[in-house]
Amino acid sequence: MLTTYQFQTAARILAGENTLLQLTDHLAAIHPHIQRALILTQPALQEMGYTSSIEQQLTDKGILFDVCTSILPEPTEQNIEETFAAFSEHKYELLIGLGGGSVLDATKILSVLMTNDKRIKDMLGTNLVEHPGIPTVLIPTTSGTGSEVTPNAIVTIPDQELKIGIVSSYLLPQLVILDPVLTLGLPKPITAATGMDAFTHSIESFISNKANYFSDMFALESIRLISASIIEAYENGASISAREKMLLGSTYGGMALTAAGTAAVHALAYPLGGKYGIPHGVANSMLLPHVMEFNMDHCVERLTLVAEPMGIETAGLSPEDAALRVIERIREWTAKLNIPQDLKEYGVQEKDLKALAQSASEVTRLLNNNPKVLSLEDIEQIYRKLLDV
């Protein structure tokens, strides 16, 4: 565990049922004279009426607004820069992101594009954003990425067939609204994939080389909340109790990774998304039990500590057996959640594994945070387990 560590997150978090209705009550603390705002969302959310409350509240306050629905799932560098070009002529005092991780990440990136004379490619990496962005309000409608509370934004770079992050404290929002009502309409596959994505953030942060007292607190509570609610949220999507636990679990997972970072699961997931378009949460879910199994001999005590918040009885078990129970519970979840386990479904073939392993090996920021070193052969073997099913 690190002996020196830090934590920073969103300036303000508003949580609870129907808190979206309180949005404009908090805008004065962000900017005293907001004249124009940009709402970023996706067409389906607009059609479901999720933006209407925001639009009405802004109208009642005399704030002009535009609505952008051009952000793609798993947005590319080109998609975000084209969106920037379409809206950059306006002078916005506020950006409001309403959606899943793709929308939230894009909102954060657009915020700093508007104040930094740089393109996205010049900001990829850590601390390469020079100036604060336009103030942002982030409102997640999925329980997965935790993007609303992290200094990270992920973008797909097709030329490199990778997803790459921009990491900067300037990406942190001024306000986060966690309203579980907005997640009630999530389809089962999205509930499953995003929920397991959030769980991956927490367990990877807990076993990572940068784990610390801050990240442990958020990670363990995230694991507890998600473990108690992910199956119920999947099977009974109308359960506001389960949805709220999942949303808080996702946010706590984002806080955990902010303090400690993710590791090899994410490193191996990025090429799968960048080259084959596998949704990020699905890729993480597929890889998680295999990477944890690989890591086990280097983090068995940490995995044992995860068992209790997952609801696993460990009395009389050796640390090794308790850790194996954790991995087995993850496998049980992915089966119940009907998450794909075969890379062949996405067009991956045996001949592709070496190139995938090479791409993953270049995500050194995350691999260096893994408790066990992975060779190219190790990475290839983990991918192969998702072909031999």
Side-chain angles (χ1 to χ4, degrees):
M1 182 178 288
L2 292 179
T3 55
T4 302
Y5 41 93
Q6 62 179 346
F7 178 69
Q8 185 178 11
T9 191
R12 180 176 300 192
I13 299 173
L14 182 64
E17 194 172 340
N18 291 315
T19 45
L20 180 63
L21 303 178
Q22 302 174 34
L23 167 63
T24 53
D25 295 342
H26 298 269
L27 295 188
I30 298 174
H31 191 294
H33 304 293
I34 297 174
Q35 298 181 20
R36 193 180 192 108
L38 176 62
I39 303 169
L40 295 113
T41 189
Q42 290 179 318
L45 295 175
Q46 190 177 35
E47 291 166 8
M48 293 169 71
Y50 285 0
T51 60
S52 59
S53 172
I54 298 173
E55 294 172 14
Q56 187 61 57
Q57 289 183 70
L58 294 177
T59 299
D60 291 345
K61 292 289 186 180
I63 299 172
L64 300 174
F65 62 86
D66 299 303
V67 179
C68 167
T69 59
S70 62
I71 301 301
L72 300 172
E74 317 286 342
T76 63
E77 176 185 19
Q78 179 180 354
N79 174 224
I80 297 175
E81 290 191 338
E82 286 178 350
T83 302
F84 169 68
F87 290 92
S88 60
E89 64 185 57
H90 301 295
K91 299 292 184 181
Y92 297 109
E93 291 84 24
L94 182 70
L95 304 185
I96 301 172
L98 173 77
S102 295
V103 168
L104 303 188
D105 282 359
T107 301
K108 294 195 283 189
I109 294 172
L110 286 167
S111 165
V112 294
L113 282 175
M114 291 179 176
T115 58
N116 288 264
D117 189 20
K118 286 187 171 185
R119 297 188 62 183
I120 290 175
K121 66 180 180 181
D122 301 318
M123 295 189 283
L124 297 172
T126 303
N127 296 327
L128 296 179
V129 180
E130 296 178 351
H131 306 290
I134 302 296
T136 57
V137 175
L138 300 182
I139 309 166
T141 59
T142 65
S143 301
T145 68
S147 176
E148 66 274 7
V149 291
T150 76
N152 309 339
I154 306 301
V155 60
T156 299
I157 311 296
D159 291 348
Q160 299 182 41
E161 297 182 335
L162 270 180
K163 293 181 179 180
I164 302 178
I166 299 173
V167 183
S168 169
S169 61
Y170 291 141
L171 297 180
L172 289 168
Q174 281 62 48
L175 174 65
V176 169
I177 295 178
L178 302 176
D179 188 340
V181 173
L182 301 176
T183 68
L184 291 176
L186 277 179
K188 280 189 170 184
I190 297 178
T191 297
T194 56
M196 287 303 297
D197 187 23
F199 181 83
T200 302
H201 294 156
S202 298
I203 195 169
E204 278 214 289
S205 298
F206 191 71
I207 59 95
S208 77
N209 292 333
K210 295 179 183 176
N212 57 74
Y213 290 114
F214 288 142
S215 62
D216 283 1
M217 176 180 64
F218 290 119
L220 289 174
E221 186 58 21
S222 171
I223 289 167
R224 190 183 308 278
L225 287 165
I226 293 170
S227 298
S229 57
I230 189 167
I231 301 301
E232 182 183 356
Y234 179 78
E235 294 179 345
N236 178 18
S239 170
I240 193 70
S241 173
R243 291 297 192 183
E244 184 168 28
K245 288 176 183 176
M246 287 300 299
L247 188 56
L248 287 172
S250 172
T251 297
Y252 288 164
M255 291 176 175
L257 75 86
T258 293
T262 53
V265 175
H266 278 70
L268 272 65
Y270 286 153
L272 294 177
K275 183 174 177 63
Y276 295 96
I278 301 177
H280 181 62
V282 172
N284 278 341
S285 302
M286 296 172 84
L287 289 160
L288 181 58
H290 301 292
V291 174
M292 287 300 118
E293 190 173 51
F294 172 84
N295 283 336
M296 199 181 88
D297 60 338
H298 279 58
C299 60
V300 65
E301 291 183 358
R302 300 291 280 178
L303 284 176
T304 300
L305 293 173
V306 167
E308 185 274 328
M310 287 180 70
I312 297 170
E313 178 58 56
T314 60
L317 295 180
S318 67
E320 290 77 12
D321 285 341
L324 287 171
R325 289 280 182 92
V326 167
I327 296 169
E328 182 56 32
R329 178 65 55 86
I330 294 170
R331 295 186 197 278
E332 291 171 1
W333 283 347
T334 56
K336 289 182 179 179
L337 297 170
N338 293 305
I339 293 174
Q341 294 297 302
D342 190 348
L343 288 177
K344 291 192 290 291
E345 293 183 27
Y346 297 94
V348 181
Q349 302 178 42
E350 173 74 26
K351 65 181 179 62
D352 302 321
L353 297 187
K354 287 188 182 298
L356 275 172
Q358 181 60 46
S359 293
S361 73
E362 295 169 6
V363 190
T364 54
R365 177 176 65 90
L366 302 184
L367 289 176
N368 290 342
N369 199 28
N370 199 64
K372 186 176 179 179
V373 175
L374 286 89
S375 67
L376 270 173
E377 184 179 352
D378 292 329
I379 297 172
E380 188 176 333
Q381 287 301 319
I382 290 172
Y383 283 136
R384 182 168 284 108
K385 289 184 178 182
L386 291 169
L387 283 179
D388 298 334
V389 292

